[in-house]
Amino acid sequence: MKAKPVPRYDIPYVNLPAQADEQMPELAAIFARVVRRGSFVGAGAEIERLEARLAEYCGTREAVALNSGTDALFLALKVPGIGPGDEVITPPNSFIASTAVIVHLGARPVFVDVLADQNIDPAAVERAITPRTRAIMPVHLTGRVCRMDQIMEIAERHDLLVIEDAAQSIGSIFQGRKSGSFGHFGCFSAHPLKNLNAMGDAGFVTTNDTAAAARMRRLRTHGMADRETVEEWGFVSRMDVLQAAILDYRLDKLPHVIAKRRENAALYQRLLKHEKIFVPPCRQDEFNTFHTFVIQAERRDELQRHLRAIGIKTAIHYPVPIHLQPAAASLGYRKGDFPATESQAERILTLPVNQYMSAKDVEAVAGEVLSFYGA
Amino acid sequence: MTRIDLPLQPNGTKVQWSYLPRQFNERSVEEILDRLRAFVPSGDFTLGKPVREFEERFARLIGTRHAVGVNSGTDALKLSLKALGLGPGDEVITAANTFIATIGAIAENFARPVLVDCTDNFCMDVSKVEAAITPRTKAIMPVHLAGQMTDMPALMEIARRHKLPVIEDSCQCILGAITDRNAGTYGLAGGFSLHPLKNLNVWGDGGVIVTNDDDFAVKLRRLRNHGLADRDSVVMLGCNSRLDSLQAVIGNWLIDQVDFITTTRIKNAAYLDGELGKLPQIRLPHRYNDRRLVFHLYIVFAERRDELLAHCKKAGIEAKVHYPIPIYRQEGLRPFGYRKGDFPVTDRHADTMISLPAHEHLTAAQLAYMVQTISEFYES
């Protein structure tokens, strides 16, 4: 009988305490500055500055600061008028929000399967197009941009909107272009666990469509054109000024965050060579930012339990595909409809890859994974 | 009596609408920063411990079993209606003179707002509600505007008779009450706003829903967090509408002062009532002995309102009008077919009401200066 494993590591999945440690004096100064100005809500200088910087960073004309990545997706569908009777093609292996916003607008999510790298399969997208299709919503999962050359080509041929779910992919590049700059809208999250993270909920939309951006800025604050005029029914989806100031500060650090994550990921890729483990390779034309580092492994649940027992935190994104969630029952999908997604759901494991990990930490995790398989 | 004059404040006014610089002064900000320095290293930013603590304290403050922190007062209303399962074709009865968010929350649920006029206390005229009920009515949403109270005992009687759920828009009415029963505790649920200019305010958008119904609370908690029952189970389609933990830290700091905020506003309003009530050109809204009105806004009816507003502004008083164009006449409401004149009380209010600062950080001199300015206007 094998001895019960004892925790000999303390490797967290994310490391917000380390980030706080590193940034606390600057963060406190930001809090104090925003409070002194007393402008907590609404499109003030902080919001405008952040929007301009995000647009420049992502390579679009506009960025619109919002309350969350979910709201970014919602407004990106709402502004072009997607609604009842319309279909939106999207993958089922995303976080629930990308599908929920489609349903909330009365439209129908049409799922298509994914490739070995977990991103949407362009050929499957084309097969799913019907006369009711209005938009394609690719999800740049794990910080890897989808095959946007093919997707944009399909969209143009069929006159469809493309709304990029870029929640996990700020700064990722495909064929020389940043995520969020390919489609009509790019939808980003700045949730505390993202690579560019606020200290609460926050998100934004990128676009080259100035009129759409102006409308989004109205919709995020009750649909008001000014204090007295309600142009249309809107929402409350403003990014807190406090969060905008934090993101503005952290945007300077993003290149370093990305570089460190890429370094950690490259080390994993070098070390994790084993027949029981599949690590999607990085192609020449991709610059991946590794919001998550996901391996596809045999006996995944056992591996995760083992790593947890010895003090290495991992996660699964996501164990239950959306089409198999109770909330999706009315969409009429069944187990077996998306074989790649479903088989990946049983094998994917997200290893810690955050910027506060040292090469030694990465080597330790990789070593433990390999030794689990007896290598 | 000697004439009062006041020094100009940094923003170029003498009586400020916003109390934020006084509320968050050097001493209080240092106190809050200490709390934030302790909180931030926890990394507990999403539905964390401060949110649970705030929810418990807010529920205790209002007197309900549950409080659910959400992203805004608007979302508090929107999610409450969503939890009722509202859909296309359904009707919700509400007040014709409310802030747009009330109606936006109804429209967002694909339902139809059915408006009723208000009384001279800015709240729904409950005697007109019954006539507005149809077979499609799914809920009643009274609005406790400006910290005033809708006649809830009478409204609940109607709701019970017609078996309709009541969601109270209490966004402007924290601790408002009728015979000591607080706004938000009469209906199935009550929605509150924590917006920076509300009586209990945080450093960004925030809201809370209170309810005594256990199942309703569970539903609301799921709806605000993507419909998740746990990390991996989506049991319904929800939204992302969470009160940030960071904002809950601010809320937990401020909630101790709510009694002071409320009683000071009531005291300021009583002073203004006493002085302005002497002027024949000013009419006070009806005041009630059995109600605690919390004066999120202090509103009176004024002759030559627009001139008075301009005069106040010139004298450095940040007076406002809530709202000069009633919601039912706004562009966004056109699809619902209301026309100018449909709600005469609301219309009359829009032309005569003026909102004066009455917040807890005003000095006695500022209050007296407002009275003097308004008196002089009518004497001249």
Side-chain angles (χ1 to χ4, degrees):
Chain A
M1 206 183 94
K2 271 199 288 187
K4 197 171 177 288
V6 288
R8 34 182 200 280
Y9 304 99
D10 183 16
I11 300 180
Y13 174 67
V14 286
N15 201 340
L16 293 174
Q19 193 182 29
D21 231 28
E22 171 195 275
Q23 303 177 352
M24 201 60 232
E26 288 89 346
L27 292 171
I30 289 168
F31 293 148
R33 193 187 77 218
V34 171
V35 173
R36 252 199 315 278
R37 209 167 297 158
S39 166
F40 296 112
V41 167
E46 274 91 354
I47 299 284
E48 279 173 23
R49 180 182 150 82
L50 179 70
E51 288 184 338
R53 292 191 67 201
L54 288 171
E56 194 195 340
Y57 181 85
C58 294
T60 53
R61 205 170 296 163
E62 299 271 2
V64 181
L66 299 168
N67 177 53
S68 69
T70 303
D71 286 3
L73 292 165
F74 178 81
L75 288 176
L77 291 168
K78 166 94 188 162
V79 162
I82 288 170
D86 295 336
E87 294 178 354
V88 179
I89 297 172
T90 194
N93 66 338
S94 172
F95 182 60
I96 184 69
S98 53
T99 301
V101 293
I102 300 169
V103 177
H104 283 318
L105 284 163
R108 186 185 164 77
V110 172
F111 292 129
V112 300
D113 215 347
V114 297
L115 300 168
D117 66 5
Q118 297 187 263
N119 274 344
I120 197 165
D121 178 356
V125 168
E126 180 130 39
R127 286 195 300 273
I129 293 172
T130 75
R132 293 173 301 282
T133 308
R134 284 283 311 280
I136 306 170
M137 189 195 273
V139 180
H140 306 318
L141 215 65
T142 77
R144 180 197 305 266
V145 180
C146 297
R147 313 298 310 167
M148 290 310 290
D149 51 346
Q150 297 172 43
I151 290 168
M152 291 312 295
E153 191 271 316
I154 294 166
E156 270 152 39
R157 201 145 31 80
H158 294 271
D159 196 19
L160 300 174
L161 288 165
V162 173
I163 292 156
E164 297 173 65
D165 180 342
Q168 303 188 353
S169 70
I170 185 157
S172 300
I173 299 170
F174 175 71
Q175 295 179 351
R177 283 172 70 179
K178 287 257 178 75
S179 80
S181 71
F182 293 89
H184 300 84
F185 298 105
C187 304
F188 292 85
S189 163
H191 179 274
L193 300 184
K194 294 298 194 295
N195 286 5
L196 174 66
N197 58 342
M199 295 169 87
D201 282 313
F204 62 96
V205 169
T206 52
T207 184
N208 289 317
D209 184 339
T210 304
R215 187 158 169 228
M216 264 182 205
R217 292 196 179 100
R218 258 199 330 262
L219 285 171
R220 74 180 168 189
T221 184
H222 299 293
M224 292 172 108
D226 55 57
R227 188 176 168 275
E228 317 296 2
T229 318
V230 184
E231 201 97 0
E232 61 179 319
W233 294 115
F235 312 89
V236 175
S237 182
R238 303 173 282 229
M239 186 188 287
D240 286 342
V241 170
L242 199 64
Q243 304 294 358
I246 293 166
L247 290 175
D248 184 37
Y249 159 68
R250 286 182 173 169
L251 188 54
D252 290 331
K253 300 183 176 299
L254 182 60
H256 167 76
V257 170
I258 290 173
K260 193 73 191 53
R261 282 174 175 259
R262 282 174 55 81
E263 204 180 297
N264 287 344
L267 185 52
Y268 272 135
Q269 281 169 327
R270 239 184 358 262
L271 297 172
L272 289 172
K273 292 205 176 358
H274 192 277
E275 56 180 11
K276 308 279 188 202
I277 307 165
F278 173 66
V279 181
C282 297
R283 297 166 38 120
Q284 277 298 318
D285 55 3
E286 295 173 344
F287 176 91
N288 300 332
T289 53
F290 297 99
H291 167 59
T292 52
F293 185 86
V294 180
I295 63 170
Q296 299 174 26
E298 287 184 21
R299 292 159 54 215
R300 187 266 320 269
D301 290 343
E302 228 181 296
L303 172 62
Q304 185 180 33
R305 272 197 299 276
H306 170 72
L307 292 174
R308 190 185 304 137
I310 60 174
I312 296 169
K313 299 266 172 38
T314 62
I316 300 170
H317 299 96
Y318 300 91
V320 184
I322 297 174
H323 69 287
L324 301 178
Q325 289 282 3
S330 62
L331 297 176
Y333 290 104
R334 275 190 313 234
K335 198 166 166 64
D337 283 348
F338 306 103
T341 295
E342 290 170 28
S343 104
Q344 285 168 9
E346 288 171 8
R347 292 182 295 126
I348 46 176
L349 185 68
T350 309
L351 302 180
V353 71
N354 68 72
Q355 63 271 26
Y356 297 100
M357 285 174 78
S358 64
K360 215 172 116 237
D361 293 333
V362 174
E363 280 162 9
V365 175
E368 291 297 340
V369 170
L370 291 172
S371 80
F372 172 80
Y373 291 109
Chain B
M1 207 175 91
T2 45
R3 234 183 139 266
I4 307 161
D5 199 12
L6 297 174
L8 277 179
Q9 300 294 313
N11 72 342
T13 64
K14 295 182 176 180
V15 186
Q16 302 75 38
W17 184 263
S18 170
Y19 42 83
L20 295 174
R22 290 194 191 176
Q23 182 176 40
F24 299 120
N25 56 34
E26 243 163 71
R27 199 170 50 94
S28 65
V29 167
E30 212 29 66
E31 251 178 73
I32 296 171
L33 284 183
D34 277 344
R35 292 197 182 194
L36 288 176
R37 284 190 197 100
F39 159 71
V40 167
S42 73
D44 199 8
F45 295 117
T46 307
L47 296 180
K49 204 168 140 220
V51 174
R52 287 193 296 281
E53 184 193 334
F54 181 77
E55 289 177 339
E56 277 165 28
R57 296 181 68 188
F58 195 84
R60 222 176 308 137
L61 178 75
I62 302 298
T64 51
R65 288 165 61 86
H66 307 281
V68 180
V70 295
N71 177 53
S72 67
T74 302
D75 282 7
L77 305 177
K78 172 181 102 177
L79 293 183
S80 297
L81 291 175
K82 209 177 265 296
L84 289 177
L86 229 62
D90 293 341
E91 295 178 355
V92 178
I93 296 172
T94 192
N97 62 329
T98 184
F99 180 59
I100 41 169
T102 320
I103 304 209
I106 297 168
E108 204 178 325
N109 279 285
F110 302 106
R112 182 189 168 82
V114 174
L115 307 182
V116 298
D117 210 351
C118 61
T119 69
D120 268 353
N121 76 344
F122 314 114
C123 294
M124 172 187 271
D125 184 343
V126 173
S127 72
K128 294 194 172 120
V129 168
E130 206 142 22
I133 294 173
T134 77
R136 292 174 301 282
T137 307
K138 286 288 148 55
I140 306 173
M141 191 180 269
V143 184
H144 307 311
L145 206 74
Q148 303 276 325
M149 286 293 298
T150 309
D151 184 353
M152 289 310 292
L155 183 66
M156 290 312 294
E157 180 49 40
I158 294 168
R160 259 189 298 276
R161 225 171 21 241
H162 294 270
K163 297 191 170 54
L164 289 170
V166 172
I167 308 286
E168 294 173 68
D169 178 346
S170 312
C171 284
Q172 303 188 351
C173 200
I174 289 176
L175 290 183
I178 300 180
T179 57
D180 283 333
R181 186 162 168 193
N182 283 332
T185 65
Y186 285 89
L188 171 62
F192 292 87
S193 166
L194 305 172
H195 180 277
L197 290 179
K198 291 299 192 296
N199 288 15
L200 172 55
N201 52 342
V202 295
W203 288 1
D205 279 314
V208 201
I209 309 165
V210 297
T211 182
N212 284 315
D213 186 309
D214 298 350
D215 295 336
F216 201 70
V218 169
K219 219 168 177 181
L220 291 169
R221 287 180 198 287
R222 289 175 177 171
L223 278 173
R224 75 168 168 187
N225 191 27
H226 300 291
L228 290 163
D230 58 59
R231 188 181 167 279
D232 297 321
S233 315
V234 182
V235 291
M236 58 172 76
L237 287 178
C239 317
N240 178 345
S241 180
R242 305 174 283 229
L243 175 65
D244 284 339
S245 297
L246 190 76
Q247 302 296 359
V249 172
I250 315 295
N252 284 326
W253 176 82
L254 194 62
I255 201 167
D256 291 329
Q257 300 172 32
V258 165
D259 272 336
F260 160 77
I261 292 169
T262 308
T263 49
T264 312
R265 281 172 181 259
I266 291 172
K267 207 176 76 203
N268 290 347
Y271 168 79
L272 292 173
D273 271 5
E275 296 300 318
L276 297 178
K278 295 175 192 161
L279 302 175
Q281 297 89 345
I282 297 282
R283 194 164 59 82
L284 302 178
H286 190 71
R287 307 297 191 206
Y288 304 81
N289 288 329
D290 63 341
R291 298 186 188 184
R292 183 166 64 234
L293 310 179
V294 293
F295 299 99
H296 166 62
L297 301 172
Y298 179 82
I299 304 176
V300 294
F301 304 111
E303 285 179 18
R304 294 159 53 212
R305 193 270 317 272
D306 291 343
E307 282 170 68
L308 175 63
L309 184 66
H311 179 77
C312 284
K313 284 186 175 160
K314 223 174 114 205
I317 300 167
E318 287 188 281
K320 294 180 187 236
V321 175
H322 296 89
Y323 303 94
I325 306 166
I327 186 72
Y328 85 90
R329 277 159 37 197
Q330 290 278 0
E331 187 63 35
L333 228 80
R334 189 168 290 182
F336 302 119
Y338 291 108
R339 272 191 315 232
K340 188 167 174 152
D342 282 352
F343 304 103
V345 181
T346 294
D347 282 337
R348 177 156 50 76
H349 287 181
D351 295 336
T352 57
M353 70 207 304
I354 184 165
S355 307
L356 301 170
H359 56 76
E360 65 277 12
H361 294 281
L362 292 176
T363 62
Q366 285 178 310
L367 289 163
Y369 178 75
M370 282 200 286
V371 171
Q372 172 188 282
T373 305
I374 295 168
S375 308
E376 282 176 357
F377 169 75
Y378 287 118
E379 280 159 17
S380 64

